[in-house]
Amino acid sequence: TKRISAYCPMGKDYYTADIEIEFVPDAIIMDYCELDNYLNQQSGLSLIIEELIEKIYNHLQGKYKPKAVGVTVKAYSNTHLYVEVTKSSEDAQ
């Protein structure tokens, strides 16, 4: 789990995003320090929640080619209600 802040261009305000990743490795083992740096780089970007989740999901799929992966973003904002979005591969539970 990682917490970052992103800017929502629809709500025109920042939101807090709690990112949860479930990962089943295949041949490539995840570099947790690299992933932490990648997630930190997403902080402050102008992305709706669905764009943020898609970006992280595609990064994990492209870089690590896991057997299964799931990414959930729990978003907290003063401009909209609590939102939780999940994207996962077919093999993810």
Side-chain angles (χ1 to χ4, degrees):
T1 300
K2 177 76 175 181
R3 176 172 284 177
I4 67 168
S5 178
Y7 182 79
C8 178
M10 292 174 70
K12 296 180 177 51
D13 198 4
Y14 284 88
Y15 63 95
T16 300
D18 286 345
I19 303 163
E20 297 178 357
I21 297 170
E22 294 184 38
F23 187 88
V24 179
D26 196 5
I28 302 171
I29 302 299
M30 183 187 297
D31 179 337
Y32 300 112
C33 293
E34 182 279 331
L35 179 59
D36 192 64
N37 287 332
Y38 176 79
L39 295 175
N40 285 336
Q41 292 171 6
Q42 308 317 301
S43 192
L45 296 181
S46 179
L47 299 166
I48 63 170
I49 300 159
E50 292 80 3
E51 291 171 331
L52 176 62
I53 211 168
E54 184 76 15
K55 191 171 184 186
I56 295 167
Y57 180 89
N58 289 341
H59 176 78
L60 294 169
Q61 286 284 22
K63 186 154 184 123
Y64 299 109
K65 299 169 183 33
K67 288 182 183 177
V69 64
V71 180
T72 298
V73 172
K74 297 178 179 179
Y76 305 89
S77 171
N78 291 329
T79 56
H80 62 70
L81 54 96
Y82 164 78
V83 177
E84 182 173 329
V85 179
T86 300
K87 179 170 181 154
S88 59
S89 60
E90 289 183 19
D91 296 334
Q93 296 182 3

